[in-house]
């Protein structure tokens, strides 16, 4: 994956690039908005990571300029903590996701991974399949190994979100945002509770587990390896 | 701060301006009245003289010149001084009878100076002349009463003006003294506010006039300002006191790691501890800033119509599994859609914080009830549990930032859940009451229904 990072804090930039490069990705770094904008229009990237507060040209203006110029590359904003309105402003400026600083690299990596896959997801899909688990999006039916699995609406949505991102790690916060539209961090482990209820229906009665917990509190669904 | 001098005070200026206006009005009214009376007097004199003239003419027609002269002489004898004047002249101008010696020929004039009539006086007369046969008769009446009228009107007007002026000045002084006193009270209070005493209030007269209303508004503004300053002061205190402890713990973990590292012992435990401590600090900091942002009110710009019941139902469904797993029972009573104007995201957080509060502080077996009901123009949301509750004298305090009951020091949580709830309720102008559920805690929120 080719990633463009526009971040003026050297330490954060180093932390992020190191992470992506270790994962085998290409990550270009620019420390001010003007250079970032120039680079983004000159080369093609899979994902852009842009800090809100930048010297030269701030992240919001940079995103607006890029969108005005017709660049559709997925863009994720990094925002400082406490900014209640940052998400809405960021999305309005043409951002696709946002992440609050300070963040764990795993969270950023998961979001970048999900964003990069987006175009493929937009194709019309009516049936999702993972190993022997099948989800019919039109009939709202889930079967595993031919056996019907009865799910509550939110459980269905949770499973659908996981299945659409097969093999990708979705963090707790990402699930909260995508399944429940919650944009704050609950103090209790409610997401874990929902996942374990889902597991009880999808995995427990069967031999192999499909839903996996990854370190740094993320979840993914994939066939046994 | 300089005090305003008497003559520069708005009360005094206002009363002076009003007096000037009143005097002008009085002068116009007086002049109108004067001219009407003057006109009327003129007409009366004219009519009286014409009647006299008719009478003389009748005497001439009846008894000739001797009767006319006799009548004139008779009149002259009756008249005191020169209130009325008479002169009967022959065609050649010879004086036949009367009490004056000469009378000029008057064309259209109705008044004549006394001097032109040979009277050594400065008065003015109304004159009528008529030819009776070959004779010329001049009859006149003193216009003394007219000049008397002038005098009376002038004098009256002068006195009235003087009295008005005196009342206005006295009233102005009294009024401006009173206003100055009230302004001085406001100045004293505002000086105290400027010195940082936000508890200072301007004493109110309570009579509900404009100044009283303004005073009330100023007091409210000062109170609000005071609350903001207090909140800023509080947050700095919170940060310095309550973040110091975890920061210190973080440093201890790191120092231990350093020591172990030099001794060649693995430091993974200390680093994990440091990492989670840092996360807690960030969480607390984040929550504090969020509260400050909510309190700033900027979020109101994004308010829209929201269904309280729907938001509550989403949150309850989200937590239902966790509540059941915690061995608690949940009863939910949601009525029809409860439309209010607000922020869906913040309201979601509000319900979540309240439910998490119960999850954190109550034991398995606790019953929780959640309801949304319409009462008059308000929606009442009640979340009640039969857990340990909050002692009456602590209920106000738990809404403060980072305040934690001694009993809950060991349970997880930042001590910011309820203060966030309070901030969100305040932003929505909802009332928040913590009540005794006997046993347990009952949280009651009242929201105004959307119009």
């Amino acid at each position: 994956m080719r990633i463009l990072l526009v971040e003026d804090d050297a330490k954060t930039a180093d932390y992020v690039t190191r992470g992506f490069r270790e994962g085998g990705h290409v990550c270009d770094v620019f420390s001010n908005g003007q250079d970032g904008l120039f680079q983004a229009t000159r080369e093609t990237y899979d994902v852009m990571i842009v800090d809100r507060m930048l010297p030269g040209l701030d992240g919001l203006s940079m995103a607006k300029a890029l969108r005005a110029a017709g660049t559709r590359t997925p863009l994720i904003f990094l925002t400082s903590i406490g900014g209640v309105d940052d998400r809405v402003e960021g999305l309005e400026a043409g951002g696709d996701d946002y992440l609050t600083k300070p963040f764990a690299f795993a969270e950023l990596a998961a979001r970048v991974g999900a964003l990069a896959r987006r175009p493929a997801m937009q194709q019309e899909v009516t049936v999702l399949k993972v190993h022997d688990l099948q989800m019919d999006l039109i009939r709202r039916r889930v079967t595993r190994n031919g056996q019907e699995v009865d799910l509550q609406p939110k459980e269905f949505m949770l499973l659908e979100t996981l299945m659409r991102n097969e093999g990708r790690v979705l963090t707790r916060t990402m699930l909260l945002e995508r399944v429940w539209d919650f944009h704050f961090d609950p103090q209790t482990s409610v997401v874990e509770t929902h996942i374990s209820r889902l597991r009880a229906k999808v995995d427990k009665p069967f031999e192999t587990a499909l839903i996996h917990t990854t370190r740094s509190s993320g979840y993914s669904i994939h066939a046994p390896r | 701060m300089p005090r305003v001098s008497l003559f520069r005070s708005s009360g005094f200026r206002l009363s002076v301006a009003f007096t000037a206006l009143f005097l002008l009005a009085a002068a116009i009214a007086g002049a109108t009245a004067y001219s009407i009376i003057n006109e009327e007097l003129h007409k009366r004199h004219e009519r009286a003289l014409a009647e006299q003239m008719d009478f003389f003419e009748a005497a001439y027609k009846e008894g000739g010149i001797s009767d006319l002269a006799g009548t004139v002489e008779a009149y002259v004898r009756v008249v005191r001084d020169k209130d009325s004047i008479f002169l009967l002249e022959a065609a050649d101008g010879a004086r036949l009878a009367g009490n004056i010696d000469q009378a000029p020929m008057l064309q259209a004039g109705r008044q004549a100076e006394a001097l032109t009539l040979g009277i050594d006086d400065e008065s003015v007369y109304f004159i009528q002349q008529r030819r009776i046969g070959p004779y010329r008769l001049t009859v006149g009446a003193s216009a003394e009463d007219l000049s008397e009228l002038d005098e009376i009107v002038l004098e009256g007007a002068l006195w009235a003006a003087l009295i008005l002026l005196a009342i206005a000045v006295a009233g102005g002084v009294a009024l401006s003294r009173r206003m100055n006193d009230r302004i001085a009270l406001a100045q004293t209070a505002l000086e105290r506010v400027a010195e940082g005493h936000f508890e200072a209030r301007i004493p109110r007269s309570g009579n509900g006039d404009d100044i009283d209303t303004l005073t009330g508004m100023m007091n409210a503004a000062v109170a609000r300002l005071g609350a903001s300053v207090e909140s800023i002061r509080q947050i700095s205190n919170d940060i310095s006191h309550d973040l110091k402890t975890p920061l210190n713990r973080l440093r201890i973990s790191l120092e231990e790691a350093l020591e172990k590292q030099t001794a060649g012992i693995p430091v993974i435990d200390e680093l994990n501890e440091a990492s989670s401590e840092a996360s807690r600090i960030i969480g607390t900091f984040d929550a504090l800033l969020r509260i400050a942002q909510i309190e700033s009110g900027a979020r109101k710009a994004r308010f829209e119509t929201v269904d309280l019941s729907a938001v509550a139902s989403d949150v309850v469904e989200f937590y239902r599994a966790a509540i059941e797993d915690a061995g608690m029972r949940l009863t939910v009573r949601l009525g029809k859609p409860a439309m209010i104007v607000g922020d869906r995201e913040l309201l979601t957080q509000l319900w979540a914080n309240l439910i998490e509060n119960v999850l954190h502080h109550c034991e398995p077996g606790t019953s929780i009830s959640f309801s949304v009901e319409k009462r008059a123009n308000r929606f009442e949301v009640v979340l009640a549990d039969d857990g340990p509750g909050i002692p009456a004298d602590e209920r106000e305090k738990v809404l403060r930032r980072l305040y934690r009951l001694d009993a809950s020091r060991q349970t997880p949580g930042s001590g910011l859940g309820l203060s966030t709830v309070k901030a969100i309720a305040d932003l929505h102008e909802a009332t928040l009451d913590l009540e005794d559920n006997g046993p347990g805690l009952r949280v009651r929120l009242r929201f105004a229904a959307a119009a």
Side-chain angles (χ1 to χ4, degrees):
Chain A
M1 233 190 320
R2 282 177 61 83
I3 298 160
L4 173 66
L5 171 67
V6 191
E7 164 63 78
D8 63 321
D9 178 46
K11 190 137 190 172
T12 309
D14 189 47
Y15 173 64
V16 172
T17 38
R18 207 149 29 84
F20 281 120
R21 281 172 189 160
E22 275 168 15
H25 304 290
V26 177
C27 188
D28 294 341
V29 190
F30 290 88
S31 61
N32 83 62
Q34 273 155 347
D35 294 349
L37 178 64
F38 180 62
Q39 184 67 17
T41 50
R42 218 173 54 149
E43 290 198 29
T44 314
Y45 290 94
D46 296 303
V47 175
M48 296 183 285
I49 304 166
V50 179
D51 188 25
R52 279 278 306 260
M53 303 266 276
L54 285 172
L57 184 71
D58 69 277
L60 276 190
S61 310
M62 185 189 146
K64 280 181 192 157
L66 273 177
R67 293 300 181 236
T71 308
R72 303 268 17 117
T73 312
L75 190 153
I76 177 164
F77 276 118
L78 300 181
T79 72
S80 57
I81 61 169
V84 186
D85 284 333
D86 286 358
R87 181 175 53 84
V88 185
E89 281 174 4
L91 297 186
E92 279 170 0
D96 300 275
D97 201 355
Y98 83 113
L99 186 57
T100 303
K101 275 183 180 179
F103 52 84
F105 179 74
E107 181 78 36
L108 179 63
R111 284 170 187 270
V112 165
L115 271 186
R117 273 172 46 84
R118 245 191 202 181
M121 265 170 53
Q122 280 164 357
Q123 287 169 6
E124 277 298 316
V125 188
T126 54
V127 176
L128 297 170
K129 267 173 99 170
V130 175
H131 191 53
D132 55 352
L133 178 67
Q134 196 163 321
M135 175 178 271
D136 185 333
L137 291 170
I138 293 166
R139 295 202 186 83
R140 315 287 298 168
R141 263 184 57 188
V142 177
T143 51
R144 184 160 181 196
N145 205 8
Q147 236 175 292
E148 175 117 21
V149 180
D150 188 30
L151 295 178
Q152 300 283 313
K154 283 289 173 193
E155 288 170 343
F156 188 92
M157 217 168 142
L158 178 57
L159 185 61
E160 182 190 332
T161 310
L162 286 168
M163 287 178 84
R164 279 186 186 275
N165 291 280
E166 184 190 350
R168 305 260 163 187
V169 176
L170 294 178
T171 63
R172 247 163 33 103
T173 349
M174 285 166 84
L175 289 174
L176 276 170
E177 286 171 15
R178 281 157 209 211
V179 180
W180 288 277
D181 195 23
F182 283 6
H183 299 275
F184 61 94
D185 246 335
Q187 300 290 307
T188 42
S189 50
V190 188
V191 176
E192 285 80 339
T193 312
H194 284 285
I195 290 281
S196 74
R197 294 226 162 180
L198 187 63
R199 273 182 170 147
K201 289 181 177 178
V202 174
D203 279 347
K204 269 264 175 67
F206 306 92
E207 269 177 33
T208 45
L210 298 178
I211 301 169
H212 304 272
T213 308
T214 345
R215 58 180 179 84
S216 30
S217 55
Y219 302 93
S220 64
I221 193 163
H222 58 75
R225 284 161 184 165
Chain B
M1 217 186 289
R3 295 283 188 238
V4 178
S5 82
L6 177 69
F7 297 107
R8 283 181 57 205
S9 80
S10 55
F12 189 79
R13 288 181 173 187
L14 211 65
S15 58
V16 166
F18 260 110
T19 312
L21 213 65
F22 198 79
L23 280 177
L24 185 70
I28 290 171
T32 312
Y34 171 76
S35 82
I36 290 170
I37 293 169
N38 202 23
E39 183 77 10
E40 183 59 29
L41 277 175
H42 269 95
K43 279 185 186 155
R44 282 191 184 186
H45 276 297
E46 234 168 277
R47 268 203 307 277
L49 289 178
E51 275 166 20
Q52 257 182 0
M53 206 55 111
D54 292 345
F55 182 71
F56 285 129
E57 200 163 10
Y60 175 75
K61 277 180 182 153
E62 227 165 81
I65 183 64
S66 64
D67 262 22
L68 176 58
T71 314
V72 170
E73 283 302 328
Y75 264 92
V76 166
R77 278 197 298 278
V78 177
V79 170
R80 281 182 300 110
D81 300 328
K82 292 268 173 17
D83 279 352
S84 294
I85 52 168
F86 305 95
L87 180 65
L88 182 62
E89 291 163 297
D92 59 356
R95 183 176 175 278
L96 300 176
N99 56 358
I100 53 169
D101 298 326
Q102 61 187 64
M105 270 300 291
L106 293 170
Q107 291 301 322
R110 287 152 51 175
Q111 291 185 10
E113 299 282 327
L115 285 171
T116 62
L117 302 169
I119 305 164
D120 194 13
D121 203 335
E122 282 189 358
S123 58
V124 176
Y125 286 86
F126 287 105
I127 301 285
Q128 280 196 10
Q129 289 179 326
R130 206 181 277 183
R131 291 214 157 271
I132 301 175
Y135 310 100
R136 189 166 71 120
L137 181 62
T138 304
V139 185
S142 167
E144 189 74 27
D145 51 357
L146 270 185
S147 37
E148 265 169 25
L149 176 75
D150 285 357
E151 254 170 54
I152 290 166
V153 168
L154 261 177
E155 203 173 321
L158 205 68
W159 276 111
L162 275 175
I163 290 165
L164 262 177
L165 209 64
I167 291 173
V169 168
V173 168
L175 207 67
S176 52
R177 278 248 171 86
R178 226 170 79 81
M179 289 242 297
N180 274 10
D181 286 350
R182 289 172 78 177
I183 288 168
L185 284 176
Q187 279 179 325
T188 312
L190 289 180
E191 274 165 11
R192 286 196 36 82
V193 171
E195 284 159 12
H197 300 280
F198 289 98
E199 74 287 353
R201 295 287 178 273
I202 306 166
R204 294 185 63 169
S205 61
N207 60 6
D209 66 2
D210 46 358
I211 294 183
D212 189 47
T213 312
L214 189 67
T215 305
M217 286 166 75
M218 280 161 86
N219 280 344
V222 169
R224 237 212 102 120
L225 197 64
S228 306
V229 170
E230 174 58 26
S231 134
I232 292 166
R233 202 186 57 76
Q234 174 88 32
I235 202 166
S236 338
N237 273 357
D238 294 344
I239 290 170
S240 57
H241 285 117
D242 290 79
L243 284 181
K244 239 183 197 169
T245 318
L247 277 172
N248 217 33
R249 279 203 296 264
L250 177 65
R251 192 174 62 182
I252 290 167
S253 297
L254 291 174
E255 276 171 2
E256 278 172 0
L258 276 175
E259 270 173 38
K260 280 194 176 179
Q261 175 75 19
T262 23
I265 307 167
V267 293
I268 185 75
D269 288 348
E270 281 70 21
L271 289 182
N272 271 333
E273 213 169 285
S275 170
S276 54
E277 194 66 67
S279 302
R280 271 198 294 279
I281 294 168
I282 289 160
T284 305
F285 201 61
D286 203 359
L288 279 173
L289 286 174
R290 245 179 116 83
I291 292 174
Q293 261 206 342
I294 294 166
E295 282 177 347
S296 78
R299 195 87 185 180
K300 268 198 159 164
R302 292 199 194 278
F303 269 20
E304 54 195 9
T305 313
V306 184
D307 180 359
L308 264 187
S309 288
V311 177
S313 155
D314 282 353
V315 178
V316 165
E317 285 321 309
F318 177 65
Y319 282 102
R320 189 180 283 280
I323 292 169
E324 285 166 3
D325 283 5
M328 301 182 187
R329 278 186 311 277
L330 174 69
T331 332
V332 181
R333 219 154 19 91
L334 300 174
K336 293 175 188 119
M339 308 311 286
I340 65 153
V341 176
D343 185 306
R344 163 175 266 280
E345 221 173 290
L346 292 180
L347 290 168
T348 303
Q349 184 168 11
L350 190 158
W351 308 138
N353 281 14
L354 286 177
I355 292 174
E356 290 200 352
N357 217 36
V358 178
L359 282 172
H360 283 321
H361 301 299
C362 297
E363 298 292 315
T366 303
S367 293
I368 310 167
S369 75
F370 191 91
S371 66
V372 180
E373 264 178 72
K374 184 158 191 183
R375 281 175 200 271
N377 277 337
R378 322 215 81 193
F379 289 110
E380 201 173 282
V381 187
V382 178
L383 180 75
D385 64 64
D386 56 2
I390 300 174
D393 56 331
E394 300 270 19
R395 280 182 206 138
E396 274 297 309
K397 294 183 195 158
V398 293
L399 298 177
R400 287 190 209 153
R401 289 186 190 91
L402 300 166
Y403 186 86
R404 307 194 62 182
L405 295 176
D406 286 338
S408 64
R409 288 252 167 230
Q410 300 312 314
T411 53
S414 58
L416 288 165
L418 280 178
S419 31
T420 308
V421 166
K422 171 94 176 105
I424 296 173
D426 284 348
L427 186 75
H428 287 81
E429 283 164 28
T431 59
L432 168 65
D433 294 303
L434 305 185
E435 299 162 2
D436 187 4
N437 197 33
L441 176 67
R442 185 166 57 225
V443 182
R444 190 190 299 274
L445 283 136
R446 292 188 187 89
F447 291 86

